[in-house]
Amino acid sequence: MTSSVRPPRLTTTRVAVSDPLVEPLLRELGDEYSARYGKDAHTELARYPADEFAPPHGVLLLLLEDGEPVAGGAFRRYDEATAELKRIWTHSAHRRRGLARRVIAELEREAVARGYRRVYLTTGPRQPEARGLYLATGYTPLFDTTADPETIGPLPFEKHLSAVPSHTPGPPHPGKAPKP
């Protein structure tokens, strides 16, 4: 007897920061940042008002696998031409599957669709996998890559978006659309 195994179904959804689906993202990011930097990072995650990650200037999106959040990320307006990526996350049980790359590509498409021409971000000096991700996805480091990251502080990156294809954003999570 053979069984048919259906591959996981991944969907992208746009949500408000207050959506319960965002809780694993915020919890895991806070725990991980606290472990790496030795302080309560949950406060840092609350530093920006939720409306900064809402349309028309921002977005928070999640990758759902069979309805459960497995990765996500957001951007907010940095300046008129620049979106700032924040909250890039992959669930601890779903790493090494290329999900963060997919989140970044979705965020870049959203940024282009909203008229941004550049993306800016920073990552912490104790996050070598994030540094590697941004380098692998075409981001330009705005710091000396030969220096000890601990001597730099937050590591800034940028990417110009002219070559990123745009698409029509999909619908938000049913019943959870951010208010305009």
Side-chain angles (χ1 to χ4, degrees), residues 127-140:
Q127 295 171 258
E129 60 283 297
R131 175 183 169 161
L133 171 67
Y134 302 130
L135 290 170
T137 53
Y139 283 75
T140 301

Side-chain angles (χ1 to χ4, degrees), residues 25-45 126-127:
L25 177 152
L26 296 175
R27 183 181 58 253
E28 279 202 350
L29 283 177
D31 291 348
E32 187 158 334
Y33 294 167
S34 294
R36 289 181 190 228
Y37 298 103
K39 59 183 178 179
D40 179 20
H42 295 276
T43 303
E44 171 62 23
L45 289 170
R126 296 181 187 167
Q127 295 171 258

Side-chain angles (χ1 to χ4, degrees), residues 83-172:
E84 180 181 17
L85 295 189
K86 303 295 280 179
R87 318 291 186 254
I88 307 301
W89 165 78
T90 301
H91 191 288
S92 57
H94 296 276
R95 295 192 176 150
R96 310 296 303 165
R97 295 175 48 195
L99 298 174
R101 284 177 181 251
R102 183 166 170 177
V103 166
I104 288 172
E106 291 289 335
L107 289 170
E108 289 172 357
R109 282 191 279 277
E110 284 281 339
V112 167
R114 293 169 195 260
Y116 292 112
R117 296 183 308 276
R118 177 178 171 256
V119 173
Y120 172 81
L121 65 92
T122 59
T123 192
R126 296 181 187 167
Q127 295 171 258
E129 60 283 297
R131 175 183 169 161
L133 171 67
Y134 302 130
L135 290 170
T137 53
Y139 283 75
T140 301
L142 302 175
F143 59 93
D144 179 356
T145 59
T146 64
D148 176 359
E150 291 285 335
T151 66
I152 298 170
L155 308 176
F157 291 84
E158 74 173 350
K159 185 176 190 178
H160 293 274
L161 297 174
S162 60
V164 177
S166 64
H167 81 296
T168 304

